[in-house]
Amino acid sequence: MASTSTSSSSSSSSSSSSSSLIRSSASNTDEWNLRKKYVEGFLQRLGASKDLPETHQKKGFVSDMMRNLLKVDRIGRGRIVCHLTVKRLVTNAYGTFHGGTVAGVAELIAIACARTVVDEDRKLFLGEMSLSYLSASAINVELEIDGCIVKSGRNVTTTSVEFRVRGTKKVVYTARATFFTAPVSKV
């Protein structure tokens, strides 16, 4: 008898939980529709699906924009120090330095740093790059970018790039890149 009452109570409990799942699915659908409308509005406010101005569609626009930001302070064997000021052109929807631009600048500095130790006739290939976004940088913040060689061998070169707020020296972004070099053909 005890098992019958347990079985009926568990069947009653399972029918109760399945009906709550149905109710929760209906509310999840309403919640999903609200969330979807919010995300669509967010993307529209960012300008998704709009055409870029003609001047922004030329090949190399983003690279030109990043190079225009950088000001070189020092170049030495295995080390490059630059600075830049965060401009509105390179900020995200939150008014801080855009992560894609941080990555692009880090790659540019890492390549230049590797070139201080790798011969011109050897091609460099970016094999791996990692970035850490430790803090945000607002418009008009001046950043110092310090790139250095961590390790350089015959076919592999590893670099480190740090972005610091000029004045306070607070580290806001770090990057590490590994480059492979193709051996020179002796034909």
Side-chain angles (χ1 to χ4, degrees):
M1 247 194 174
S3 68
T4 309
S5 101
T6 306
S7 162
S8 83
S9 105
S10 109
S11 105
S12 147
S13 142
S14 75
S15 92
S16 157
S17 63
S18 70
S19 68
S20 72
L21 284 175
I22 293 168
R23 270 186 265 122
S24 107
S25 292
S27 70
N28 281 345
T29 302
D30 293 342
E31 184 180 320
W32 168 246
N33 287 332
L34 285 172
R35 186 178 306 263
K36 185 177 171 186
K37 282 184 181 183
Y38 168 76
V39 171
E40 286 171 347
F42 174 76
L43 290 171
Q44 285 174 351
R45 286 190 301 278
L46 291 178
S49 300
K50 290 184 181 175
D51 289 335
L52 285 173
E54 194 67 35
T55 56
H56 294 59
Q57 293 182 26
K58 73 176 183 122
K59 184 177 179 174
F61 171 78
V62 174
S63 297
D64 292 344
M65 179 183 61
M66 286 187 298
R67 280 192 301 271
N68 187 46
L69 289 172
L70 284 173
K71 308 296 180 233
V72 178
D73 296 328
R74 286 189 311 275
I75 298 175
R77 183 166 170 77
R79 184 148 192 202
I80 294 181
V81 179
C82 300
H83 71 276
L84 65 79
T85 301
V86 178
K87 305 228 164 98
R88 183 171 304 282
L89 179 66
V90 292
T91 58
N92 56 26
Y94 304 104
T96 60
F97 200 21
H98 193 284
T101 309
V102 172
V105 169
E107 180 187 23
L108 194 98
I109 297 298
I111 292 168
C113 198
R115 276 289 166 209
T116 66
V117 296
V118 176
D119 293 336
E120 284 181 46
D121 61 344
R122 300 194 61 163
K123 290 186 178 181
L124 280 175
F125 300 93
L126 178 61
E128 178 182 21
M129 185 168 187
S130 65
L131 288 121
S132 295
Y133 299 87
L134 306 173
S135 184
S137 299
I139 296 171
N140 295 326
V141 168
E142 198 168 335
L143 298 176
E144 183 176 277
I145 305 148
D146 188 356
C148 66
I149 298 294
V150 175
K151 182 176 143 185
S152 186
R154 196 175 76 196
N155 293 319
V156 179
T157 301
T158 304
T159 63
S160 172
V161 180
E162 286 188 344
F163 292 70
R164 298 176 190 267
V165 175
R166 212 172 215 187
T168 67
K169 301 294 183 193
K170 176 184 174 187
V171 177
V172 287
Y173 314 110
T174 62
R176 192 174 177 103
T178 302
F179 296 95
F180 299 101
T181 53
V184 178
S185 161
K186 295 182 182 183
V187 177

